[in-house]
Amino acid sequence: MSTLSVDTIQGKTTAGSVDFPSGTIVQQVNATDNGTANRAQQSTTSTSFAHMSNFDLAITPKFSSSKILYMGNFNLFGSNTTYTYMAIYRHIAGGSATYIPTQASNGHCAITQQTYMQVPVFFIDSPNTTNAVTYKVYLRSHDSGDTSYIGWISGGSANDNMTNMIALEIRA
Amino acid sequence: MSTLRVDEIKDSTGASTALTIDSSGRVTQPVLPCWSVEGIGGTSSNNSILDFANTNNGSSNLSFVQGGVTWSGASDYKITVPVTGVYLVNVGINCRATSSSHATTVRLVKNGTEISSSGAGKEDGESNHFDYLSINFIFSLSANDYLQVKNVGGNDLQFPNDSTTGGYFNGHLLG
């Protein structure tokens, strides 16, 4: 049995960088860290996935083997009584955006009923890089002529858009 | 590169164990500030604080706090954090509106003030079935800040009269 009594631990090589065992949370980012917590509403009439750039969330892993736990809650709306689909793509700096196929083949979710509904999205990703990783929200409508929205309120304050996003780097 | 081999890390007085490492490398933090309060049932009035661990419907045997976090319980349903730091907070709610024309909307409340960007909701609450709302939020809190969850949807919220399905409110210190 050994005991270390200390008030502060810092890295020997870099004071702000200390490695911990598997399962430890290395860092976090959230919507506020990446610009603003309140993201303005966006929409698309496309039946192909379109990037909703207001809802990007970026994290730069400290270790290439780390896992990223992504947690997002979004409010979606479709202008007709068919479907709105959402998907999350991963973009690593210097590369192209890659769809993360964690759930349905048409995207992470589908909603209907012409009412804003909340859609939680949770997954563990293995980006295998120490470059900046941006998780991007893509949206599409089921039928041409329909409009799909993300974010509850158009214009003015975005405070009520009912969206929150988090990414945690977890040591593998 | 340097390696420190140790089973336990205590505070500088030696009074409290902050971190342990077993022979498999597993790390525990026995006094990490965290909480989980669960169970909510019946009806929550518009503009009121949600009563987790409701004594009539709540599964309070699943609720706990540690590391200096305090839970005020049925007096005002406050979680008070003991130290300044960054916290991860999660809320899950299973509810329905009392009118099909009203929203189901909840928000985190910090020291009595709604955090606008922490909202979760459905525009049309539909009184005939339950919907799930979720908040996952990271923010900085100061020692003795308190958190609550509030119904801000403009009408009463109804919860299943089932102690396991009404909702949860948990969180912990990230660092």
Side-chain angles (χ1 to χ4, degrees):
Chain A
M1 178 69 177
S2 59
T3 299
L4 177 68
S5 296
V6 66
D7 293 314
T8 303
I9 297 174
Q10 64 180 35
K12 180 181 179 184
T13 305
T14 305
S17 182
V18 177
D19 195 4
F20 277 98
S22 174
T24 304
I25 294 174
V26 177
Q27 62 168 321
Q28 63 81 25
V29 298
N30 57 65
T32 304
D33 295 334
N34 272 216
T36 174
N38 302 315
R39 305 299 178 97
Q41 184 192 65
Q42 287 185 283
S43 64
T44 181
T45 57
S46 174
T47 54
S48 300
F49 277 124
H51 178 205
M52 302 290 106
S53 58
N54 288 353
F55 299 87
D56 288 358
L57 188 70
I59 185 170
T60 303
K62 291 192 175 183
F63 305 98
S64 60
S65 60
S66 290
K67 304 295 183 183
I68 304 297
L69 171 58
Y70 180 93
M71 296 184 275
N73 296 290
F74 305 95
N75 241 258
L76 304 184
F77 176 87
S79 65
N80 208 333
T81 54
T82 57
Y83 300 108
T84 288
Y85 301 106
M86 186 180 74
I88 305 293
Y89 283 63
R90 177 218 299 141
H91 179 263
I92 297 175
S96 57
T98 304
Y99 170 54
I100 302 175
T102 56
Q103 294 184 25
S105 59
N106 280 314
H108 280 110
C109 59
I111 65 167
T112 182
Q113 295 184 340
Q114 290 182 285
T115 185
Y116 280 98
M117 299 178 70
Q118 199 186 27
V119 178
V121 178
F122 299 80
F123 59 85
I124 291 277
D125 189 28
S126 304
N128 192 31
T129 184
T130 55
N131 293 327
V133 178
T134 302
Y135 293 98
K136 300 183 176 184
V137 176
Y138 280 64
L139 208 63
R140 76 175 180 90
S141 298
H142 184 77
D143 293 327
S144 60
D146 294 348
T147 305
S148 294
Y149 297 85
I150 180 170
W152 195 324
I153 303 294
S154 62
S157 170
N159 288 352
D160 293 320
N161 276 341
M162 306 299 168
T163 293
N164 38 87
M165 299 174 289
I166 289 171
L168 300 177
E169 180 183 354
I170 300 173
R171 192 73 169 106
Chain B
M1 177 67 178
S2 61
T3 300
L4 182 65
R5 297 185 180 186
V6 65
D7 302 303
E8 183 178 28
I9 296 177
K10 290 192 170 188
D11 74 296
S12 58
T13 69
S16 301
T17 297
L19 185 148
T20 68
I21 306 171
D22 72 9
S23 58
S24 297
R26 292 172 295 210
V27 176
T28 66
Q29 295 174 266
V31 293
L32 179 76
C34 61
W35 72 89
S36 179
V37 292
E38 304 167 14
I40 182 170
T43 300
S44 172
S45 299
N46 179 37
N47 223 31
S48 67
I49 299 299
L50 300 190
D51 52 346
F52 291 93
N54 182 298
T55 54
N56 294 319
N57 301 291
S59 53
S60 55
N61 58 320
L62 296 177
S63 302
F64 78 98
V65 296
Q66 78 167 33
V69 173
T70 60
W71 168 238
S72 66
S75 60
D76 47 18
Y77 310 102
K78 289 180 182 175
I79 285 288
T80 302
V81 301
V83 294
T84 298
V86 176
Y87 287 76
L88 169 62
V89 178
N90 306 296
V91 177
I93 301 292
N94 187 21
C95 65
R96 65 184 179 190
T98 51
S99 164
S100 60
S101 61
H102 283 88
T104 55
T105 309
V106 296
R107 279 202 180 93
L108 288 173
V109 172
K110 174 186 170 185
N111 299 332
T113 301
E114 291 176 28
I115 302 173
S116 62
S117 54
S118 71
K122 185 183 178 193
E123 183 185 34
D124 176 352
E126 297 188 69
S127 58
N128 61 342
H129 66 261
F130 292 92
D131 289 303
Y132 181 74
L133 308 179
S134 178
I135 299 171
N136 305 97
F137 211 69
I138 290 177
F139 52 175
S140 296
L141 297 174
S142 299
N144 301 315
D145 279 350
Y146 68 85
L147 299 175
Q148 298 162 301
V149 184
K150 189 175 183 179
N151 168 16
V152 296
N155 73 146
D156 294 353
L157 291 181
Q158 292 181 332
F159 297 88
N161 280 315
D162 177 334
S163 62
T164 63
T165 55
Y168 58 84
F169 174 24
N170 62 48
H172 65 89
L173 176 68
L174 286 173

